[in-house]
Amino acid sequence: MLQLTDLRRVVSEWVRRIWREVAAFGVVGAVAFVVETASFNLLILGPPSAGGGIMRATPALASVVATLLAMAVSWFGNRHWTYRDRRGAVDRREVAWFVAINLAGMAVTAVPVFVSRELLGLGSPLSDNAARLVGWAAATVLRFVAYRTLVFTPAGKDPAPVPATVSRWTKDLNGAWRRGSLWPWCLGAVAALCALAVNAVFHPGYLSQDSADQLQQALGERPVTDWHPPVMALLWRILIHTTGAISAMAALQSAVLWATLWVLARLVWRRTGSRGLSLAMLAVGLTPQILTFTGVVWKDVHMAYALLAAVAVALTARELPPGRAGARWALLVLGVLFLAYAVLVRKNGLPAVIPVFVLLVLAVWPSPGRRRWLAASGILLVTTAVCSVGVSEATDPVATRQYAQIPLDDLTHVLTAAQIGPAAEKAGASADFRARLVTATAVCARRHVPADVYFNCYPRNPSLGVTELGRNADVLTRMWTQQMPGHWQGYIAYRARVFSKLLFQGNLPFYDGSTTRLDALKSAPVNQTLMSTVRDYVLGFVRDVPMLFQGWFWFALSLVFALRRRWAGPYSRELRLLGASSALYILAYLPTAPQSNFRYVYWPALAGTVGVATVLIGHLARRRAAVTGPLGSGAAAPTAPPVPAGADDAGPHEDVTVAG
């Protein structure tokens, strides 16, 4: 009882001493709120006689400016009044923490509103304001605690002593922070906030016509066909039945991306001990060429994220200490599952899967023998086959033989309208199909349509639906084998022209899903304000840095990664295999490219962006090690497990551990 009385006395004394700090913090916060509100309205509305503010056409930018002004007021007020007795020289750590905590506060304020609207289905002004009030209260507590413990805390100064228990917790927390054991959790929190924000922007998922068809298949409104990957329709159906929301697919793909980036950022932290460099890896998900399709439900996006997840699994296996056979086999199976999904969701993704599979095996076993290669290859083949059969049994897809589009494109662009009729007759085509081929060839020549004949030029028979092309697939294949050897020069010229357009005239860098309006989406329409913000962000880079959205840039970068022998840092071999995966994927479009579209190079863009981040991180870590030594300023670096012998390439390489 005496101890409890003493604790109450100490706590009461602590509360009495801290009241001035709480009051000053509240006054500064109130002033910052008034500044933000007044400046925003002034920028939008302007003075009463002005007829509008200078930023009335850009409310999002005005909000950013108002928030920055409020942050400046908050920093100045808290530093020079609330915590004036702790004030020292301004340093980068203080400013960086202040900005990070305020950004986290904005996210905390937005989360209850998102939960209220999107998860609970509430949409009244009362519920919105109540949710915002909850978020504001939580963000205020976060800012106060963080300002006091992380921002305005010069060493050795604390004007308000705290009880022993609180002091011990603070000491343990600070010790864990200095050791770096808390930073992976901070990275996870940042990744989770980014995933929530991105999901809110793209909610309920932007749909192309392809993904709209698959949504209708998942809802049972259309029969499942193999024109688009049945595995994607099946996964969507399971998610809808489990969650009751069509937005679950977009949320899942966003979660996979950010979870994967968190794993990669955690590995960067373990290797370098730098908080900034690990955050740089997370920032990959916010680059315009990656963010643009994060919420678009496309098979190309699913394949890209599955391949990157397999790479993250491989790099995780690479960090395992010697032994741990069970963990290595488990990670191999997990990586193989991602690779199998990549193949099933995008059949022409097989060339990209092979180098990633090699990367996975070499990461699991630094020196795999013949038996392990055979075992790993067998697991990949069996897993892919079993998953394919299982999906077919579950969906019973209608066979469309979509591959027939390729010979159709070749024949109608290499042969003339006068040549294609006799060629079709020689291959055994019906009179009706011959007439349609002649018409398609003439229409494409007249309109100068470069590819995708089936949708742009071919007079389709509505009664046959998606099965029309499959009914004539054998005829088209025979025509191709009979005619292309005699017209090989025209074939090479045509394919080179289409491939060049894919590389140098890429289009559709941003897709907002506005062309698709399904009844299922009426209850969850796209937020036009958020969509416009992301569109302006992406299209601004399209205008200023267009190479980020062109196939030639990512193809050239992939060749550089694949052909250069040595890179800074411990991931030289992984960078070469990542480059090989991207280059092979782009080259696979040489005989098959249907049109020019940025989504066809989305995986090379994602792999290239991660590769560039890895190279820059390696160079910066090496420079820091050269200047500060292996332990930087003397702070304890996170302990990384030993790298198994033979895990890296033969010869010397950079394997740097630097304190953040």
Side-chain angles (χ1 to χ4, degrees):
M1 180 65 69
L2 182 60
Q3 292 179 350
L4 182 60
T5 303
D6 291 340
L7 179 61
R8 288 176 178 173
R9 179 178 56 80
V10 173
V11 170
S12 299
E13 183 180 354
W14 176 63
V15 170
R16 284 196 301 272
R17 292 188 179 187
I18 206 175
W19 74 268
R20 185 201 64 80
E21 187 177 322
V22 174
F25 176 83
V27 171
V28 172
V31 172
F33 175 77
V34 171
V35 169
E36 181 177 10
T37 304
S39 58
F40 175 75
N41 284 279
L42 185 62
L43 291 171
I44 294 297
L45 303 177
S49 60
I54 59 176
M55 292 186 178
R56 58 184 178 274
T58 55
L61 181 59
S63 178
V64 171
V65 172
T67 301
L68 291 176
L69 289 174
M71 287 174 59
V73 170
S74 177
W75 182 82
F76 185 86
N78 283 300
R79 192 172 197 278
H80 293 274
W81 184 33
T82 308
Y83 301 104
R84 62 182 180 274
D85 47 0
R86 306 185 185 190
R87 188 177 64 193
V90 178
D91 58 11
R92 289 182 299 175
R93 180 201 65 82
E94 179 180 301
V95 176
W97 269 118
F98 181 82
V99 173
I101 289 164
N102 275 274
L103 293 176
M106 286 191 290
V108 169
T109 304
V111 166
V113 179
F114 174 78
V115 171
S116 173
R117 276 190 168 269
E118 307 300 343
L119 300 184
L120 301 181
L122 305 176
S124 66
L126 178 61
S127 64
D128 285 347
N129 281 280
R132 185 165 178 80
L133 182 62
V134 171
W136 176 83
T140 300
V141 174
L142 170 68
R143 290 189 180 99
F144 178 74
V145 174
Y147 285 178
R148 194 174 195 281
T149 58
L150 295 175
V151 182
F152 305 108
T153 55
K157 293 185 179 181
D158 190 349
V162 297
T165 302
V166 179
S167 179
R168 185 172 64 252
W169 291 343
T170 304
K171 181 179 179 180
D172 292 342
L173 188 63
N174 289 336
W177 178 260
R178 287 193 299 270
R179 291 192 303 273
S181 56
L182 287 180
W183 185 243
W185 297 101
C186 295
L187 289 173
V190 173
L193 288 173
C194 289
L196 286 172
V198 169
N199 188 52
V201 170
F202 288 99
H203 184 81
Y206 295 176
L207 302 185
S208 67
Q209 186 57 52
D210 294 351
S211 46
D213 289 342
Q214 290 201 289
L215 174 57
Q216 291 180 304
Q217 294 173 17
L219 293 171
E221 298 175 1
R222 286 187 180 182
V224 177
T225 71
D226 63 1
W227 190 281
H228 304 299
V231 66
M232 199 169 164
L234 177 61
L235 175 61
W236 210 341
R237 180 184 300 172
I238 294 172
L239 290 174
I240 291 173
H241 287 173
T242 303
T243 65
I246 62 173
S247 60
M249 180 66 95
L252 175 64
Q253 67 185 44
S254 177
V256 170
L257 172 65
W258 286 101
T260 301
L261 291 176
W262 172 74
V263 172
L264 296 177
R266 180 176 174 272
L267 292 173
V268 170
W269 163 246
R270 288 172 62 85
R271 280 283 180 176
T272 67
S274 170
R275 293 178 173 88
L277 295 180
S278 57
L279 285 173
M281 181 58 74
L282 276 185
V284 166
L286 299 178
T287 55
Q289 69 274 16
I290 306 305
L291 179 65
T292 182
F293 287 160
T294 301
V296 183
V297 184
W298 255 338
K299 54 190 175 185
D300 309 82
V301 178
H302 277 233
M303 185 203 73
Y305 293 172
L307 289 176
L308 187 65
V311 172
V313 170
L315 297 182
T316 302
R318 188 180 187 271
E319 299 295 323
L320 289 175
R324 304 290 299 276
R328 293 179 183 278
W329 280 104
L331 289 174
L332 175 71
V333 172
L334 178 60
V336 162
L337 286 173
F338 281 118
L339 295 179
Y341 182 78
V343 173
L344 293 178
V345 82
R346 203 75 166 95
K347 294 181 177 62
N348 65 329
L350 180 61
V353 166
I354 294 174
V356 177
F357 173 69
V358 174
L359 187 157
L360 175 65
V361 175
L362 292 177
V364 173
W365 299 295
S367 301
R370 182 182 303 175
R371 292 183 179 179
R372 284 177 172 171
W373 275 114
L374 291 175
S377 302
I379 290 174
L380 177 62
L381 293 175
V382 170
T383 301
T384 306
V386 169
C387 291
S388 178
V389 172
V391 170
S392 296
E393 289 295 325
T395 59
D396 191 22
V398 177
T400 61
R401 305 173 77 179
Q402 183 199 11
Y403 67 86
Q405 287 185 99
I406 299 171
L408 177 62
D409 277 5
D410 293 340
L411 290 165
T412 52
H413 285 88
V414 174
L415 303 180
T416 65
Q419 293 172 328
I420 201 166
E425 184 177 7
K426 180 180 178 181
S430 65
D432 177 69
F433 187 51
R434 290 200 305 271
R436 293 178 187 274
L437 286 177
V438 172
T439 301
T441 305
V443 170
C444 280
R446 184 174 66 253
R447 296 179 181 174
H448 302 287
V449 176
D452 226 356
V453 172
Y454 184 68
F455 292 103
N456 294 323
C457 307
Y458 184 83
R460 285 172 283 169
N461 186 345
S463 64
L464 297 178
V466 295
T467 64
E468 179 177 8
L469 197 60
R471 293 170 183 263
N472 298 286
D474 292 336
V475 172
L476 289 170
T477 303
R478 282 196 298 271
M479 289 179 63
W480 195 94
T481 56
Q482 291 171 359
Q483 300 298 322
M484 288 304 107
H487 298 83
W488 61 271
Q489 291 177 321
Y491 171 74
I492 293 176
Y494 168 66
R495 275 300 159 190
R497 185 169 68 252
V498 175
F499 189 67
S500 297
K501 187 175 181 181
L502 174 66
L503 293 181
F504 298 103
Q505 299 180 28
N507 60 14
L508 203 63
F510 177 78
Y511 190 88
D512 59 11
S514 60
T515 59
T516 302
R517 288 291 178 262
L518 298 178
D519 291 339
L521 298 177
K522 289 182 179 178
S523 60
V526 171
N527 187 307
Q528 295 297 320
T529 301
L530 294 177
M531 185 270 290
S532 298
T533 302
V534 177
R535 181 186 59 200
D536 293 344
Y537 169 64
V538 172
L539 295 184
F541 278 89
V542 173
R543 181 187 65 248
D544 299 332
V545 196
M547 64 183 183
L548 293 178
F549 301 88
Q550 297 294 330
W552 67 266
F553 175 75
W554 300 111
F555 183 56
L557 190 63
S558 66
L559 290 178
V560 172
F561 283 139
L563 299 178
R564 178 167 173 167
R565 170 103 180 127
R566 185 72 53 195
W567 293 97
Y571 298 118
S572 182
R573 180 179 61 200
E574 285 75 7
L575 284 169
R576 294 201 303 272
L577 289 170
L578 205 60
S581 174
S582 300
L584 289 175
Y585 182 69
I586 293 177
L587 287 174
Y589 277 110
L590 181 57
T592 63
Q595 57 180 311
S596 176
N597 197 312
F598 177 62
R599 70 184 176 107
Y600 293 137
V601 293
Y602 189 65
W603 161 240
L606 178 60
T609 306
V610 171
V612 169
T614 303
V615 171
L616 292 177
I617 287 169
H619 278 291
L620 291 174
R622 184 171 63 178
R623 290 183 60 184
R624 291 183 59 180
V627 173
T628 64
L631 291 180
S633 61
T639 303
V643 179
D648 295 318
D649 298 324
H653 64 273
E654 300 294 335
D655 190 357
V656 188
T657 302
V658 183

